[in-house]
Amino acid sequence: VIGSGIGTVTNQFADGNMPAGSVLQTLHAESTSTVNSTSSSYADTGFNLSITPSSTSNNILIQFEFTTYMFGNNDDTEVGSAYKFVRDSTDIKAFEDSGGYTTKVERSANNYWEAFRTNLTHLDSPSTTSAVNYKLQFARKLGGQLTIKGVTKIILMEIAG
């Protein structure tokens, strides 16, 4: 803007001029895919999203929201699951208690499904300006089968550092 007594305003809102804690970009994806696991080892869910940070000092706020279904058969008295976030090929956050579980439930019926809406959040410092891919992995820790189905939401926000 140029005018009498006003001066020139240039690029006030560039990412580098935003104060620490400002949200610089937000990416969002949704999926209605269903994924199943009967393995106690971590596996990819197929839910992932990439973002390119604008500065090496910025952070990425990661949020995955989904519905977990856990099935226990006649032999299972408990059902349990665990989740973790992976950046490219590096584990960055395991959501596990001291027993290795994110969710663990004692059940009272045979051949029974337990359902939980799950929301996992983590603040990551990737220290790069190259594209990074964040993905969700899961493992069945107890019980017969672990399923994620319904709407899965992924949100990535770049936060000024």
Side-chain angles (χ1 to χ4, degrees):
V1 177
I2 300 175
S4 178
I6 296 176
T8 302
V9 178
T10 55
N11 213 12
Q12 268 188 340
F13 299 106
D15 291 352
N17 295 332
M18 300 298 287
S22 296
V23 176
L24 304 178
Q25 64 173 311
T26 301
L27 299 176
H28 173 264
E30 289 188 7
S31 174
T32 56
S33 296
T34 298
V35 292
N36 300 295
S37 179
T38 56
S39 173
S40 60
S41 299
Y42 275 104
D44 287 345
T45 60
F47 303 123
N48 66 88
L49 188 60
S50 294
I51 190 169
T52 304
S54 59
S55 170
T56 58
S57 62
N58 293 345
N59 298 310
I60 305 297
L61 182 64
I62 311 155
Q63 181 180 3
F64 280 80
E65 182 182 339
F66 53 93
T67 302
T68 301
Y69 295 83
M70 294 184 289
F71 179 76
N73 60 32
N74 294 335
D75 298 325
D76 304 314
T77 58
E78 300 174 313
V79 291
S81 61
Y83 304 92
K84 69 179 174 180
F85 289 163
V86 176
R87 180 194 338 110
D88 296 326
S89 59
T90 303
D91 295 351
I92 57 169
K93 174 65 177 174
F95 296 90
E96 297 179 357
D97 63 12
S98 60
Y101 302 98
T102 304
T103 306
K104 181 180 176 185
V105 178
E106 290 188 26
R107 42 180 213 89
S108 58
N110 291 330
N111 297 319
Y112 188 78
W113 285 94
E114 297 280 353
F116 303 92
R117 192 68 184 160
T118 306
N119 189 330
L120 304 174
T121 305
H122 177 68
L123 187 64
D124 185 40
S125 301
S127 301
T128 186
T129 56
S130 298
V132 290
N133 182 266
Y134 291 97
K135 62 185 173 180
L136 177 68
Q137 291 189 340
F138 69 155
R140 177 205 49 86
K141 295 293 188 171
L142 288 170
Q145 180 176 316
L146 173 63
T147 299
I148 296 175
K149 68 178 181 177
V151 177
T152 296
K153 298 179 182 180
I154 308 165
I155 300 172
L156 301 178
M157 287 191 278
E158 181 181 7
I159 312 293

